[in-house]
Every structure is written in C-alpha cells, then in structure tokens.
Amino acid sequence: MHLVGHCTHVLELLYNEKPTIIQIIWTPKDKITKGAVYAIIRESKVLDILLDYDGDILRENVFGYRLEYLVMEDRGNPIVDFAKTGYDREHSPGAKLASSHVSQAFAYLASAYTAGVLHRDISSGNIAVDKLNNARIIDWGFINVFKA
C-alpha cells in the first residue's frame, strides 16, 4: 500500500440548530493537526475565525498518517457560486458582489499575515460567503506560522 498526500471529507448538518460541518481528515502524522491550526489562528487574533465546536485525533499512526475530525460552524458557499449568476459577467450583480467579497477576503488574508499566519492554499474554493453576505477564508490546513 502506498499512501500520498492529504484528504478531507466534509459533511454538512445541523448541530444545535446551527449549520455545521464535520471534517474527517487524513493527513501525514508529522503535520500539525487542524484543530491546532485553528487554535493558532484564534490566538493570533485573525479576523472572525471559524468557531470549532469539537475535534480530536481518532488514530495517531496508520501507515504514517493520522486520522482526525473537526466539528465547526458552516461558513457558507464558495464565492464562485456568486460570480456565476447572470450571463453578462461584467454587469452581473453576482459579479459585482463577488468583487466586494474578494476585497473582504484580501483584508482577511492581510490580517492573518500581519498576525504571522500565511494561508498557503488560497483559491476561489477557499473563499466562502455566509448568509450575512460576508466573505470568509476557509481551509487553513496548510498554514505557515512565522514571527510577524
């Protein structure tokens, strides 16, 4: 058996009547746990970080990999869903809204960088828009922490 990389399965559900996701994470055992990643970000005072409700390591070492889970609040839908609305992208309300969301996302990333946290995996799939129409950065699994 040859295992390579990192894998995350995401389940969406209601937890205490709040939209919630459960992540099941398979990652090399020498990498920092995702729960620890979010703790670092919270301690760094990065803007509006996800609330995590629960998490733990299920298996510490399976062929050099770790299996863990994390339960946290749902942050909404990917930004690309908003940019796709309408046929005329230049004049589409969705495209204009997405532009505003991108500005919010860059402010979020700048705040993280100022706090000494580098995301290292930013993409349109890692920018979510919540029900209050705010952009959020998600999937902080590959961060680099440095002295700011």
Side-chain angles (χ1 to χ4, degrees):
M1 174 184 269
H2 182 69
L3 304 172
V4 177
H6 166 96
C7 179
T8 301
H9 293 281
V10 179
L11 307 167
E12 298 176 3
L13 54 104
L14 289 176
Y15 178 73
N16 291 333
E17 299 184 27
K18 296 179 184 172
T20 303
I21 59 172
I22 298 176
Q23 292 185 354
I24 307 296
I25 305 142
W26 178 258
T27 190
K29 70 179 184 108
D30 60 338
K31 300 284 183 184
I32 188 170
T33 66
K34 246 194 183 167
V37 166
Y38 285 107
I40 289 168
I41 295 167
R42 256 191 319 280
E43 290 169 11
S44 300
K45 306 293 187 225
V46 173
L47 297 172
D48 195 28
I49 190 61
L50 289 162
L51 296 173
D52 58 338
Y53 302 127
D54 193 14
D56 205 353
I57 296 172
L58 297 170
R59 294 285 184 263
E60 184 63 45
N61 188 358
V62 179
F63 304 111
Y65 282 74
R66 176 180 54 247
L67 183 64
E68 61 183 291
Y69 76 93
L70 194 60
V71 181
M72 64 179 61
E73 69 178 316
D74 188 357
R75 283 316 233 177
N77 298 314
I79 194 171
V80 293
D81 292 351
F82 292 87
K84 288 179 181 177
T85 58
Y87 292 105
D88 181 0
R89 291 184 186 227
E90 187 174 325
H91 299 96
S92 163
K96 289 178 184 174
L97 195 55
S99 175
S100 169
H101 292 142
V102 169
S103 296
Q104 289 175 5
F106 278 116
Y108 203 145
L109 290 170
S111 171
Y113 188 81
T114 300
V117 177
L118 182 63
H119 188 281
R120 296 191 335 154
D121 186 28
I122 197 64
S123 68
S124 59
N126 287 337
I127 301 173
V129 179
D130 65 17
K131 292 184 187 327
L132 298 174
N133 210 21
N134 295 309
R136 304 286 183 238
I137 303 297
I138 60 173
D139 193 7
W140 292 82
F142 294 105
I143 69 165
N144 184 17
V145 180
F146 59 93
K147 288 198 180 229

